[in-house]
Each structure stands twice: as C-alpha cells, then as structure tokens.
Amino acid sequence: MKSVVLAVLNGTDWAMLVYFLAINSSYAGLILLAAHEFHRRAQTRSYAGHEDDLVNPFTPSVTVIMPAYNEEAGIVQAVKAMMSLRYPRLEVMVVVDGSKDNTLGVLQEAFDLVDVPMVVPTGIETRVPPKAVYAPGNGSPLVVVAKENSGRADSLNLGANLATMDLVCFVDADSILDSEALLNVVKPFVDDPERVVATGGVVRAANGCTIVDGRVVRVGMPQGWIARIQVVEYLRAFLLGRAGWSKLQSLLIISGAFGVFRRDVLIEVGGLDATCIGEDAELVVRVHRYMRENGRRYRIAFVSEPVSWTEVPASARVLARQRRRWARGLAEVLWRHRVMMLNPRYGRIGLFAFPWFLLFEFGAPFVEVLGTPIVLLGLVLNVVNLYFALLFVIAAFGYGFLLSLTSLAVEELSFHRYPDWHDLFTAVAAAFIENFWYRQLVGVWGLQGIWAALRGHEAVWGEMTRRGFTKEEPLEVTR
Amino acid sequence: MNVPLSVIFAAIAADAFLILACSALVVATRASRLKAERRTAARLGPLRPLLLEVAAEDDPEGESLRRLQGLGDEDWAALAPVAIGLVGKVRGGAKEALASLIDAHGSTGWAFRALFSRRASERARAAEMIGSLGHVELAPRLLPLLKDRRTDVRIVAARALGQLRSPAAASGLIEAAVGRHPVPRGIAAHALLRIGVPACPALTAALSSADWNLRSLAADVLGRIGALSSAGELGKLAGSDPVLAVRVSAVGALGRLGLPGWTGELVQAAGRQHEPQLREVAVEALGSVGTPEAAKALGLLMADPDLRLGARAAARLARLGPLGRAVLEQATAARKASSSEATRAATQARAALALAAIGRVAR
C-alpha cells in the first residue's frame, strides 16, 4: 500500500513539474507572438490614418453603452469623457440599472435631461423594459435609460436594442478611455469590414494613475501590493496573452470593460447571456460558435493600442470576489459550450483554444493550490529529493517570474506607459512577489469559484465602491 | 526520483541568465529611449517655432524656411516627422512651403525610391508622404501598391491616391476593392469620393460590372458624389439587381440624389416583402427625397411591426419640416384608434416629435 502511495506521489510530482513547464511555455509562446505583433504595429503607427478615419463617411458609427449601478460619484465625469472621445459618429448611452443612489438624478441635472417617449425596438430578449428614456435638452448624442435592476448583461442587452449605430461598444461606468481609444479599436472593422465582427481593447489598471477630466494624464503604479501585482498580471495575461490569442485567431475573451461588436451580429446571436456570470467570455464563445456553425467567415480581433483604464481591486476581499466570479464564469462557459471541445467543426477554437483554457485556465487553480504541498509532502516522505524540489521551484516560480519580466520588457519596448524608474522597479518587485502568495491565493479563490459553479449557487456580482474620477491626484481605490 | 545535478545547475543558470538579460533589456531600452528623447527635444526646441511660422504662412521674408532648408542631417532627422505630419494637414501656400522644405532635404526622392522597398513599412510611409505632399504626377507610381501583399500598404496607397485626387486613379481604386488582396471597401470608397466628379465615368462603368462588390461600391460612391446622370442606372439596379447588397447601395444612392421622380421605386423598396436592410435604406431614402408621396409612405411605415424601421420612418418625417410634422401630428391625433397599427404609429410619432423638440432629429 505504501509503495502505491509513494508511486502515485512520485508520478504526481512529475506531472506537476511538467504542467508548470507546459503552462509557462505556452504563455511564453503567446508573449512572443504578441511581441511580434506589437513590433509590426509600432511600424505602422505613423501611418495609421486616424485623421482620415475621422473624416471618412464610411467609418462605422458607434454607440457606447455604459451600464451604471450606484455610480453617482463618477458618472457625470465618465459620460463627459466618453462624449469627448475623438470619433466621427458617436452616441453615448447610459443604462441606469435600478441604482439605489442618485445616479439618475446627477445625470438629469448635469445634462438637462428630458423624458422622451422612445420606442424600444425588439431584438434581444430582455428581462425588464425601460422605465423611461431621457435625452439632453440640447440635442447632444446622449441617451439615458432608466430601468429596474436586472444586472449588467440585461442592461447592455437593452442598450443594444436601443442603439442606433452600426457598432456597439461595451464599457464599464468606471472605464476611462484614452481619447483615441475608439478610433483604434474600430480600426479592424474599417480595415476588414467583411470579416471583423468584434474587437476587444486592452484594459489596464487605473489605480495609481492621475486622472483629470475623465482622462488619464499620468500613469503610475498604485500603492498597495495587491494592486501592483495586478498591474503586472494585466500586462502579462490581458495585454500580451490576449494579443497572442488574437494572433492565433483564437481570442475567447473580450473584456466587458472595453469591447466592440457589430450590432447586427450581436442581435443575431441573442446578445449577452444574463444567466451566465462570465457573460463577456460567453458572448465571444457564442459568436465563434454561431459563425462556425453557420459557415460564415469572420474575425474577432484584439487591439493592443487603445487603452481602457479601470479600477482594479485594491483589497483581498474584493479581489477574492472578482476571482471567484471569473473562475466560475470560465467553468460555466466551458460547460455550456462543451460541444466545441476537441470538435474539428469549430476549427482552432475547438481543437486548440478550448482545450488550452480547460487545461491551463480552468485547471491552473488546482495545480497552483496543490502543487507546492504535494512537492513538500514528497520531500518529507523522501519520495523526491531536494534537487527535484529545486527544479520544481525553477519551473513553477522562476519561469513564472521570467515571463512577467518578459512582459515588462515587451511593454517597455512597445508602449512604455510607466514613465518613472521607480514604477519600473516596483513592477519588477511585484512580478517577483506575485509568485509567493498571490498566485496561491488566486488559486484558492479560483477553486472556490469552480466549487460554486458545481453547486449551482446563485451568482452574485457584488458591489464596488467608486471613488470617482474627479480629483487631480493619483487614484487609489477604497472599497 | 533522482534528478542529475547537472540538470539542476543548467536550469538555474538558464533561468538566472534569462532573468538578468530581461532586466538588462528593460533598463537599457528605457535608458536609451530617454536619452534619444532628450536629444530630439533639445534639437527640436529652437526649430519648432520656425516650422510653425512656415506652416502658419507667417514667414513673409522666407527666412525661417531658408534656415530650415539649410539644416544638417541630424537636425532634419529630428524635425522631419513633425514636418511630414504637418504637410498633410495644411493647404495652399503653407503646403507648398512645407513641401519645398521636405523636397530640399531629399525626402521626396527617398519616397520615390522607397515605393519599391522590400520593407512594407517603408513602402507605406513613402506612399503616405507622396499623398501628403500632393505630388499628383506620382499617382501612377502608387497604383501598383493597391495590389501590395500587405494590407496596410494597400490602405495607405488608396488613401494617398484619394488625397492626390487624381482622376486617372479612379479605375485602379475601383478594381482594387476586389480580388485576393483587396483594399477595404470603405477606404477605396472614401478615396473615390475625394476624387469626386472626375471619378464618375469609371464609377458609372462599374455599375455594370459582373462583380457585385464593384456594382455596390460604385452605387454607394455615385450617390454620395451626387452624380445625377447615373440615376437611371441606379434605378435599374435598385429594382432588379439579383444581389441584395447592390440593391441596398442603389436605393441608398437614389435617396442621396434626392430626385422626386424615383419616389415610386423607393416606396416599392420599402415594402414588407423586402429584406429589412433594404427597407431600412429605403426609409432613409424616402426621407431624403421628401416629396408628399414620400411623406405619406413614411407615415404608413411608422406603423410597421418592425419597430426599428417604424422609429426610423418617424425620425425621417421629423426632419422633413412642416410636411413631415403634419404627418406626425396627424398620427398622434389617431391615438384612440382601435387598430394596433394606428397605436404603433402614434407612439412612434410622439417619440419623434419629442426628440425633434430637443433637436434630436438624426435618429
């Protein structure tokens, strides 16, 4: 019996080692692909043609939809910032999702809103109808929709039904977009109008940045290590990881904080699934599935240039809630669309992206949490020697740290958004520290999220306290 | 389990080396970038005001221009991106002065040679520069780039041809919108639109192309140019082209031409038997034509079960002035009507009137 246990432990240790090598190597591959893409884009930046797009009557029009729940603190500034984005034909729509605070009131006051008896076209099925639709008295292209609380996804669906433009852009009420962000993220639709059906822009952490009039004017690192580590994590996973997936034409996730969809396609696929907590990823997967099942040529692209800045959780409590939600969302998406797994009908999505996400995103929390204890147990039971443990540390943590550093190097070469040397060194320190408690904690929260998905508990988004983007000082989020 | 010590050492050494190399790369990249930025800023400091004087035509003696023309290579390297960026944004004398500055430093010659470069980014930058400088005589040199294997080069070439407004490029731009390596439709269309009336013969010929993409593109652009002489051809396509996209473009173009004589065809295109895309464009077109017949048809379309279409019809009526307003008010008066159609029309009319009251008539 003992020999069987030892044999299993021995095998598990090696499996863990191989797993870490495989996941880190796959990330290294994605980072290299992303770096190549960034290099290409850097060369084309000088002739991107934004000025031309601004005056081109064939540039698609965009409705920016912002769901707002208890966003009284910063909603006015956020709307003003959205309305001042550089874009030729733009409509901004705020869907006030049954806020308990005075979100609607501050909007009414700031924009002189008047009630308009607008007819809501049917398209995507929604849970609740609008209670009222408002527009500014001066005719500016803003629409404010008031409705009972029914969640973010349902609010966005209602917004999509009311939208009048060619494309819809989903943003969070606390998203801060660079002034050219919309021009950049719509660019793939201009350059490849026949095939592009959705694009996602990169999302970065706003914590620590200086924000004036709804724009990031100075980028900086936040104060706490939780937020600092997320800066590095967002760089590695969101910027480089997604750029790599996009290069492979297998992008499965577009952040809800900054995603653009063709309105007709969005309506065709039925909009966001309000019953799924990972609704952003679910929508992208559903678009892939729909397009492939209907034999349509399409492309979903990630654009690394535009930036949407968003508050990241600064406390462990809020971060835990977010990561449980993400893990649960991923589990739900993989389960709902399990028919795509290893199915040649779905091309590289089914044969490559889906298995990768199952193995390395869904599976990562298990290995992150169990890996180190198992190796330690092996050491105690003398199943593994110290050399193996050392090798494990290099594969799991040394390689991980190297990947984060590589991400920082690519960021520095391509975008160099963080101007201070101090910020740079802080980011390096965060990349190191991440390996020794953050990853394991995120793994535990991930397991909790998966467990919640298995038990089918009702999904709860949780509230976030916004400080509001009105002060000219570095943003530190309190929750 | 035994792991050879050499493997451990190799792994540690490789990891440490890569970590150090990466760190060094980050630091070195930043240090060299900051140094280059400082150097460029120092060179640009005294030159920028001179350049702005030239760009603002505030250099009556031509002294600033002469000083800039005499710059050394390093100073010009710092100033060139700014000057090239500016030349595409100004017109008249300022454009000529900036073009002469750029020519004086041999950049035009570089652009001409770079059109044949093996590097795609150089080909694109060269095309961009030729377009910005307004060298119409070089338009034929840009045409081959419309079939370049790189999308970004094709796009820049099309944009440049549009900036040059060379009528000779019209056929090339139309043909470039299809094929294995096409110029994106919106980019080609905008370039043709910039060429304007001189592009009409080529566009009219494209209306009878065997490729539906070209028929659709040509119809779109002709409508926006306002080519009244092509109305007959467009009318035929609107009514009988087998491809929906072409009919949509043709109906849209007829609307933009705004010829009352085609109202009947537009009303027909807005009929319920047609696809939603065609009906939507037909409603827009009826709004543009604005005849009493069109207003009457829009009034009926407000009651359509397709609520988006109904809202669009109501919005178009709101833009029609007194004629449209009368139809809308008539519909709201039918509020207590029993039929669901009349109720729908009344609701749409009230919404359109409310939006019009606050200046929102573009929906």
Side-chain angles (χ1 to χ4, degrees), chain A residues 289-355:
Chain A
R289 187 173 170 179
Y290 179 85
M291 289 291 170
R292 287 181 182 269
E293 285 177 354
N294 289 282
R296 281 163 59 173
R297 292 174 70 233
Y298 75 103
R299 199 157 71 85
I300 296 176
F302 177 79
V303 189
S304 51
E305 278 294 322
V307 170
S308 170
W309 302 87
T310 193
E311 293 178 28
V312 300
S315 74
R317 188 173 56 84
V318 181
L319 182 66
R321 208 160 54 202
Q322 182 196 57
R323 297 310 162 101
R324 285 187 204 114
R325 203 175 61 231
W326 286 4
R328 180 176 177 168
L330 177 68
E332 287 180 0
V333 171
L334 291 173
W335 179 250
R336 284 181 192 207
H337 298 281
R338 59 190 178 279
V339 67
M340 297 173 77
M341 186 70 72
L342 295 171
N343 189 336
R345 184 182 185 193
Y346 300 99
R348 58 185 77 189
I349 303 296
L351 295 175
F352 181 51
F354 247 63

Side-chain angles (χ1 to χ4, degrees), chain A residues 82 85 171 175-179 181-182 214-215 257-258 307-309:
Chain A
M82 288 296 165
L85 287 172
V171 296
S175 296
I176 303 167
L177 268 58
D178 285 347
S179 62
L182 214 46
R215 290 272 181 275
F258 194 24
V307 170
S308 170
W309 302 87

Side-chain angles (χ1 to χ4, degrees), chain A residues 289-428:
Chain A
R289 187 173 170 179
Y290 179 85
M291 289 291 170
R292 287 181 182 269
E293 285 177 354
N294 289 282
R296 281 163 59 173
R297 292 174 70 233
Y298 75 103
R299 199 157 71 85
I300 296 176
F302 177 79
V303 189
S304 51
E305 278 294 322
V307 170
S308 170
W309 302 87
T310 193
E311 293 178 28
V312 300
S315 74
R317 188 173 56 84
V318 181
L319 182 66
R321 208 160 54 202
Q322 182 196 57
R323 297 310 162 101
R324 285 187 204 114
R325 203 175 61 231
W326 286 4
R328 180 176 177 168
L330 177 68
E332 287 180 0
V333 171
L334 291 173
W335 179 250
R336 284 181 192 207
H337 298 281
R338 59 190 178 279
V339 67
M340 297 173 77
M341 186 70 72
L342 295 171
N343 189 336
R345 184 182 185 193
Y346 300 99
R348 58 185 77 189
I349 303 296
L351 295 175
F352 181 51
F354 247 63
W356 190 93
F357 271 82
L358 178 70
L359 206 58
F360 294 137
E361 286 287 336
F362 179 82
F366 295 95
V367 184
E368 286 285 0
V369 172
L370 297 176
T372 308
I374 285 178
V375 172
L376 285 175
L377 188 64
L379 264 179
V380 171
L381 297 177
N382 212 19
V383 178
V384 299
N385 60 22
L386 198 59
Y387 294 155
F388 178 87
L390 210 54
L391 197 62
F392 177 82
V393 168
I394 293 166
F397 305 124
Y399 202 172
F401 178 50
L402 176 64
L403 288 178
S404 295
L405 274 183
T406 312
S407 305
L408 287 173
V410 175
E411 147 71 18
E412 186 58 33
L413 282 164
S414 310
F415 306 106
H416 34 82
R417 288 274 188 164
Y418 291 85
D420 283 356
W421 283 100
H422 178 260
D423 288 340
L424 190 62
F425 295 132
T426 307
V428 172

Side-chain angles (χ1 to χ4, degrees), chain A residues 10 14 44 47 52 117 119 139-140 142-143 161 163-164 191 263 383 385 387-388 394 398 412 416 418-420, chain B residues 1 5 8 12 15 30 33 119 121 124 152 155-156 159 184 186 190 194 224 308 348 351 354 358 360 363:
Chain A
N10 190 1
W14 276 102
T44 65
Y47 50 83
D52 207 63
V119 179
S140 57
L142 170 68
V143 177
N161 281 342
T164 57
D191 292 351
R263 184 171 55 80
V383 178
N385 60 22
Y387 294 155
F388 178 87
I394 293 166
E412 186 58 33
H416 34 82
Y418 291 85
D420 283 356
Chain B
M1 79 189 59
L5 197 56
I8 304 293
I12 292 175
D15 202 35
R30 170 164 294 201
R33 179 173 53 81
R119 295 181 61 186
S121 60
D152 50 346
I155 288 173
V156 176
R159 276 207 318 257
H190 188 215
R194 280 180 152 176
R224 286 178 192 272
R308 194 176 286 278
Q348 297 281 21
I358 55 168
R360 288 279 293 259
R363 284 173 60 85

Side-chain angles (χ1 to χ4, degrees), chain A residues 106-124:
Chain A
V106 295
L107 285 169
Q108 283 176 314
E109 193 179 333
F111 297 101
D112 185 24
L113 298 179
V114 295
D115 195 346
V116 288
M118 204 173 280
V119 179
V120 185
T122 46
I124 303 168

Side-chain angles (χ1 to χ4, degrees), chain B residues 207-293:
Chain B
L207 287 178
S208 49
S209 164
D211 190 319
W212 68 264
N213 283 295
L214 296 188
R215 297 199 298 278
S216 170
L217 171 77
D220 265 343
V221 181
L222 284 167
R224 286 178 192 272
I225 289 174
L228 297 174
S229 58
S230 59
E233 289 294 313
L234 290 169
K236 278 184 212 158
L237 293 179
S240 60
D241 197 280
V243 180
L244 172 65
V246 180
R247 294 201 301 278
V248 168
S249 297
V251 166
L254 284 176
R256 288 197 176 83
L257 295 181
L259 296 172
W262 293 95
T263 308
E265 281 73 6
L266 298 179
V267 172
Q268 205 275 333
R272 285 189 193 176
Q273 71 277 23
H274 293 301
E275 297 82 351
Q277 303 98 303
L278 185 66
R279 300 184 72 206
E280 206 169 287
V281 176
V283 164
E284 295 287 333
L286 285 167
S288 302
V289 171
T291 58
E293 252 183 295

